[in-house]
Amino acid sequence: MKVSELGEFGLIDLLAVMISGSKSDQPGPGQLVIGLGDDAAAWRSDDSIELATVDAMVQGIHFTLDTISWRELGWKSLAINLSDIAAMGGVPRYALVALGLPEDTRVEDVSLLYEGMIELAQQTGTGIVGGNISRSPVVAVTITVIGGSPDGRVLRRSTARPGDTIAITGHPGCAAAGLEMLKKKMKLPAPAGDHLRAAFLSPTPRLDEGRTLIKCGVETAIDTSDGLLADLRHICEASRVSARINVDNLPIHPAVSENFGERARTLALSGGEDYELLFTAAAPVIKRVKTDLAGPVTAIGRITAGEPGKISLFDAAGKTVEIKEYGWSHF
Amino acid sequence: MKVSELGEFGLIDLLAVMISGSKSDQPGPGQLVIGLGDDAAAWRSDDSIELATVDAMVQGIHFTLDTISWRELGWKSLAINLSDIAAMGGVPRYALVALGLPEDTRVEDVSLLYEGMIELAQQTGTGIVGGNISRSPVVAVTITVIGGSPDGRVLRRSTARPGDTIAITGHPGCAAAGLEMLKKKMKLPAPAGDHLRAAFLSPTPRLDEGRTLIKCGVETAIDTSDGLLADLRHICEASRVSARINVDNLPIHPAVSENFGERARTLALSGGEDYELLFTAAAPVIKRVKTDLAGPVTAIGRITAGEPGKISLFDAAGKTVEIKEYGWSHF
């Protein structure tokens, strides 16, 4: 069987079984808090928890150099990793950067890549402490971020409970709208166009938001890298619960609703790469989050008991809504 | 300028300057012990030192699937990272695996890759705790290993002193001879052929040896990934010293000397990917290492005061020896 037939998540499940079957022989398993299957790995070290995550940007798969600048590529390659630390409620500390570069890559472009990366590293207190450079047929940036949760608490995918409210930061669908705008060379008015371009090419990892969620008592979160529905399904599968979404409550940004018509809702539900935080908690906790977070927080549905991973969509009138696209998978 | 003109090490130097120029704004710089420029990054955490390193194996650059099996690829991809931890005298703890796979990759082959990786992980007490899978035009395995030095001591590149003896574990040149044998489809007698194949395709990271070096009082080491001379030059540049090598003292394995004639010495000096430990220390310390290490340890030269990075080669009669090839660079 080819990996394209099994699919990305099927392959991850298969490898997770192989690895967990072997884990008993490894020392210090008592220290490991979370292995595969969450936004980052987590292990205990004294009173705190250490976190580590890795993610890659591959030319031709995740980006093309005619739409993203080298500076944006550096920023985004680090941002998607910091977003995984944010989704654990953690604080980033160190980054290791593995670059794959074709031999005719311009040195100036590599410098711009690092400028973008360093800018975000400085803003977030992340030290770039190591790396590797290798020749490669395409540009590939693979970054590992190591961080921690000083108070020993983390946000997980596996702790959602029936009755929890489902909420999200920001405006889902902006990144996917930005990608569509760039691909189709759509001419949008500057504020809308700039907003969507930035949403797709230089997302802001929600690190402060992740810490605030923990302080407010939230236990369950994921970042929306695969898309709202796909990432909600990750939570529901890990927590063995179902979910109901009220699609009329989706906080769709005017730049999307005004320029993408009927597609706006699909972009919000299925478009990937927003790197917002999707989280669940009891209603009073969500209320506290809305007060404590500066940016937008919107309740969009509810966790229910039922078939693990099943998500039902409704409109404000209670009528079932169908959707065909379900988010991003690699194969 | 293209990266192929600047070269791998020139590019690393350029990026290191950019990063160190930005570091002052990052919190916790006092905790960072070693950033770029050694085998692994190192930072202090209470009494111990934490280590992290990343390395990649890219199809068509580091391997071709007609010479390496998927199982060996899994083993070697982890081994080259564990070797960097060994070169710091550290103990590995966790690994994160970023896979790039073409969509027609067979699932069975990915399983074999993981079998090889898990086998070495179990032997070395390394937990595979995270990863990422991405579509890619070629197979690429990028692994980050996180480890530590429980007693807070590490082996560095920058601490070699004039008068130090230079020594090496194992037999340099075996991996390069193995590569040449596979490339030229040479038919060697089984023991020699098997030894060279294994040296190139499934190297053993010298983790126990690294810990023993620290216990014996060694402070300076590197693993021979780029080749003996290239890696010795890394030590000499970082330590701002010169070196003299007696080429007649090189511990060339019979499988190399008996099958590669005049090329044997060049393979030992310039061939990469042996993943042995090259280290320097005062003569009494080296003597202790020879007693405490089970495997072969050979003194091959001496650190001298002089132009940083300059390496002179002599034979047993004291005559200067010239060599043209100087080891592996990516661009």
Side-chain angles (χ1 to χ4, degrees), chain A residues 72-189:
Chain A
E72 287 165 332
L73 178 60
W75 172 289
K76 184 166 177 177
S77 300
L78 180 57
I80 62 177
N81 281 285
L82 294 176
S83 179
D84 281 323
I85 298 293
M88 301 298 286
V91 178
R93 290 156 66 205
Y94 299 109
L96 291 96
V97 181
L99 282 187
L101 298 173
E103 54 194 325
D104 62 353
T105 308
R106 287 166 11 111
V107 172
E108 294 75 8
D109 290 334
V110 183
S111 294
L112 288 169
L113 176 91
Y114 263 74
E115 275 183 27
M117 208 185 309
I118 288 171
E119 189 187 346
L120 181 58
Q122 288 187 307
Q123 284 184 21
T124 56
T126 309
I128 300 171
V129 295
N132 185 65
I133 301 176
S134 159
R135 196 144 52 86
S136 162
V138 294
V139 177
V141 189
T142 306
I143 301 187
T144 302
V145 172
I146 299 166
S149 171
D151 60 5
R153 286 186 292 173
V154 290
L155 300 168
R156 296 164 189 249
R157 297 181 178 184
S158 58
T159 42
R161 278 178 292 257
D164 275 4
T165 298
I166 302 164
I168 191 163
T169 62
H171 302 284
C174 285
L179 170 61
E180 202 157 304
M181 175 188 80
L182 292 167
K183 264 188 176 168
K184 297 184 176 165
K185 301 189 195 305
M186 291 165 67
K187 298 275 178 219
L188 301 190

Side-chain angles (χ1 to χ4, degrees), chain A residues 265-288:
Chain A
R265 182 184 280 177
T266 304
L267 290 170
L269 287 168
S270 305
E273 306 207 47
D274 279 317
Y275 301 102
E276 294 291 347
L277 296 183
L278 177 69
F279 55 102
T280 86
V285 174
I286 299 288
K287 203 176 156 190
R288 216 174 299 150

Side-chain angles (χ1 to χ4, degrees), chain B residues 168-199:
Chain B
I168 191 165
T169 63
H171 303 283
C174 285
L179 170 61
E180 201 156 305
M181 174 187 81
L182 291 168
K183 264 188 177 167
K184 297 184 177 165
K185 299 188 195 307
M186 291 165 68
K187 298 277 178 216
L188 301 191
D194 292 350
H195 178 79
L196 299 183
R197 180 186 170 86

Side-chain angles (χ1 to χ4, degrees), chain B residues 12-295:
Chain B
I12 290 174
D13 288 346
L14 177 80
L15 300 177
V17 168
M18 286 182 69
I19 290 165
S20 64
S22 72
K23 203 167 286 171
S24 54
D25 292 321
Q26 292 162 8
Q31 297 188 306
L32 191 68
V33 178
I34 299 172
L36 301 190
D38 213 306
D39 296 285
W43 60 90
R44 203 166 293 283
S45 167
D46 300 320
D47 294 338
S48 65
I49 279 183
E50 306 289 305
L51 300 167
T53 185
V54 62
D55 214 340
M57 296 269 292
V58 180
Q59 184 180 10
I61 312 293
H62 305 94
F63 67 90
T64 54
L65 285 168
D66 55 345
T67 52
I68 197 165
S69 72
W70 283 91
R71 192 174 235 292
E72 287 165 333
L73 177 60
W75 171 289
K76 184 167 177 178
S77 300
L78 180 57
I80 62 177
N81 281 286
L82 294 176
S83 179
D84 280 323
I85 298 293
M88 301 298 286
V91 177
R93 288 158 65 208
Y94 299 109
L96 290 95
V97 181
L99 284 186
L101 298 173
E103 53 194 327
D104 63 351
T105 308
R106 285 166 13 112
V107 172
E108 294 75 9
D109 290 335
V110 183
S111 293
L112 288 169
L113 176 92
Y114 263 75
E115 275 183 28
M117 208 185 305
I118 288 171
E119 189 187 346
L120 181 57
Q122 288 188 306
Q123 283 184 21
T124 56
T126 310
I128 300 171
V129 295
N132 185 65
I133 301 176
S134 158
R135 199 144 51 87
S136 162
V138 294
V139 177
V141 190
T142 306
I143 301 186
T144 302
V145 172
I146 299 165
S149 171
D151 60 4
R153 287 185 292 173
V154 289
L155 301 167
R156 295 164 190 251
R157 297 181 178 184
S158 58
T159 42
R161 279 177 290 257
D164 274 4
T165 298
I166 302 165
I168 191 165
T169 63
H171 303 283
C174 285
L179 170 61
E180 201 156 305
M181 174 187 81
L182 291 168
K183 264 188 177 167
K184 297 184 177 165
K185 299 188 195 307
M186 291 165 68
K187 298 277 178 216
L188 301 191
D194 292 350
H195 178 79
L196 299 183
R197 180 186 170 86
F200 178 56
L201 296 179
S202 45
T204 301
R206 301 302 181 193
L207 287 161
D208 292 342
E209 290 80 352
R211 293 302 303 162
T212 301
L213 292 188
I214 285 200
K215 280 178 198 142
C216 290
V218 176
E219 293 176 9
T220 310
I222 192 170
D223 69 325
T224 55
S225 50
D226 295 330
L228 197 163
L229 286 184
D231 290 309
L232 179 58
R233 190 182 307 122
H234 293 321
I235 285 184
C236 288
E237 285 173 348
S239 301
R240 318 226 21 101
V241 293
S242 296
R244 292 169 59 95
I245 294 290
N246 179 340
V247 297
D248 286 325
N249 277 4
L250 291 171
I252 299 177
H253 195 279
V256 179
S257 54
E258 288 164 14
N259 295 294
F260 291 83
E262 294 186 338
R263 298 253 314 128
R265 182 184 280 177
T266 304
L267 290 170
L269 287 168
S270 305
E273 306 206 49
D274 279 317
Y275 302 102
E276 295 290 347
L277 296 182
L278 178 68
F279 56 102
T280 86
V285 174
I286 300 287
K287 202 176 158 193
R288 217 173 301 150
V289 172
K290 282 189 179 183
T291 311
D292 287 9
L293 271 191

Side-chain angles (χ1 to χ4, degrees), chain B residues 3-15:
Chain B
V3 295
S4 53
E5 296 166 77
L6 182 59
E8 180 188 2
F9 301 121
L11 187 56
I12 290 174
D13 288 346
L14 177 80
L15 300 177

Side-chain angles (χ1 to χ4, degrees), chain A residues 19-42:
Chain A
I19 290 165
S20 65
S22 73
K23 201 168 286 170
S24 54
D25 293 321
Q26 292 163 7
Q31 297 187 308
L32 190 67
V33 179
I34 299 172
L36 302 190
D38 214 307
D39 296 286

